[in-house]
Amino acid sequence: MRKPLVIGNWKMNGSRRSIAQVLDGIEPLGRQSGVEVVVCPPFVYLAEVAPRTSAVGLRIGAQHVSEYESGAYTGEVGAAMLADIGCDYVLIGHSERRALFGDGKRVAGQLAATLRAGLKPVLCLGEDAEQRQLGETRSVLLSQLAAAGLVGGRETEQLAGLVVAYEPVWAIGTGNAASPDDAQQAHRWIREALGALGGEVPILYGGSVMAENVAELMVQPDVDGVLVGGASLRVGEFTAICALAAKA
Ligand code: 13P
């Protein structure tokens, strides 16, 4: 039984002040047994948030990372820098990064860089509305896993700490989450595609996760946690999500 994992992706939201308030509110979640809770603030706030989260047993993640180690890459942030300031996790290939910034081509390099730095990559995958309509969900997931170098022949120890997040694009920010059955089906396809690795890798669901729907998603056998966007900035809602995930 994997320990449930709840990750809050704050996206490009917040200020020093509002983030301090959210942290005040969610601090008790670090002491909650039965669930690992991670928050992913924007880059500029990571170094300020990291000491606070580590003091209370919360984990911290970045929303993006460069595939390069260091050097003349203006505007980029390297995995070693993230490790240096106390990051634990890194989101890779979020659908917003794929759609708006062309990151689909970067995921294999980002994954390798993240693992080299000893951080845990959270590889995000998911089909858009049109692909879903055309019945292409499984093939999209397989091709995204293949682009990350995750299909066939990877050794478990090379991928220690890998997390996968299934985030159907049509469910993100719409209030319209995947049904528990559809989420379970997609998670099963992902686990099967990971082969021998599959049993080791936590697979999270993301896309309009709320207190209202988290329990029915979490009881699915292949749903190991959730990746939460909008609701992760609302202290009461996020607290409820974490409590329900711990119980599931
Ligand atoms: P919402 O929870 O706002 O739908 O966002 C999901 C997401 O993109 C998390 O990475």
Side-chain angles (χ1 to χ4, degrees):
M1 205 22 218
R2 286 169 287 265
K3 188 174 182 175
L5 177 60
V6 177
I7 304 183
N9 175 9
W10 294 352
K11 308 194 179 183
M12 198 174 80
N13 291 299
S15 61
R16 290 177 98 169
R17 197 190 152 109
S18 72
I19 285 174
Q21 283 167 352
V22 172
L23 287 172
D24 287 343
I26 65 172
E27 266 185 10
L29 297 177
R31 291 187 295 275
Q32 181 155 2
S33 59
V35 61
E36 173 148 318
V37 181
V38 183
V39 292
C40 301
F43 273 140
V44 287
Y45 301 119
L46 282 172
E48 195 167 319
V49 170
R52 284 201 62 182
T53 49
S54 76
V56 298
L58 294 166
R59 306 269 169 199
I60 189 169
Q63 299 175 17
H64 170 65
V65 67
S66 177
E67 61 273 55
Y68 301 109
E69 296 286 329
S70 64
Y73 303 103
T74 302
E76 289 289 287
V77 174
M81 298 170 182
L82 297 174
D84 191 29
I85 59 106
C87 255
D88 306 291
Y89 289 84
V90 180
L91 304 183
I92 292 175
H94 190 281
S95 69
E96 288 149 18
R97 301 257 3 142
R98 290 177 190 263
L100 301 169
F101 307 106
D103 277 11
K105 295 190 198 73
R106 301 176 66 180
V107 291
Q110 292 171 310
L111 190 64
T114 300
L115 291 164
R116 271 198 305 276
L119 300 172
K120 298 178 180 175
V122 181
L123 177 71
C124 304
L125 314 170
E127 82 288 1
D128 65 24
E130 191 187 342
Q131 291 163 332
R132 171 177 153 86
Q133 206 125 54
L134 293 169
E136 294 173 356
T137 300
R138 183 162 182 267
S139 63
V140 168
L141 297 175
L142 294 186
S143 72
Q144 289 173 338
L145 285 170
L150 289 177
V151 180
R154 288 289 288 267
E155 300 296 328
T156 310
E157 51 281 11
Q158 287 178 302
L159 291 160
L162 173 69
V163 177
V164 173
Y166 170 59
E167 293 209 300
V169 179
W170 50 268
I172 294 177
T174 60
N176 177 29
S179 71
D181 286 350
D182 285 354
Q184 166 57 25
Q185 173 69 270
H187 284 223
R188 174 105 313 245
W189 284 330
I190 292 168
R191 206 178 297 288
E192 282 168 4
L194 290 170
L197 259 184
E200 312 280 320
V201 176
I203 305 178
L204 315 184
Y205 169 79
S208 295
V209 172
M210 294 170 265
E212 180 190 306
N213 58 21
V214 68
E216 62 189 23
L217 289 159
M218 286 294 305
V219 296
Q220 300 303 314
D222 288 298
V223 178
D224 304 313
V226 284
L227 178 52
V228 187
S232 69
L233 282 160
R234 300 194 292 273
V235 170
E237 182 86 9
F238 193 59
T239 301
I241 289 170
C242 293
L244 289 159
K247 266 199 256 161

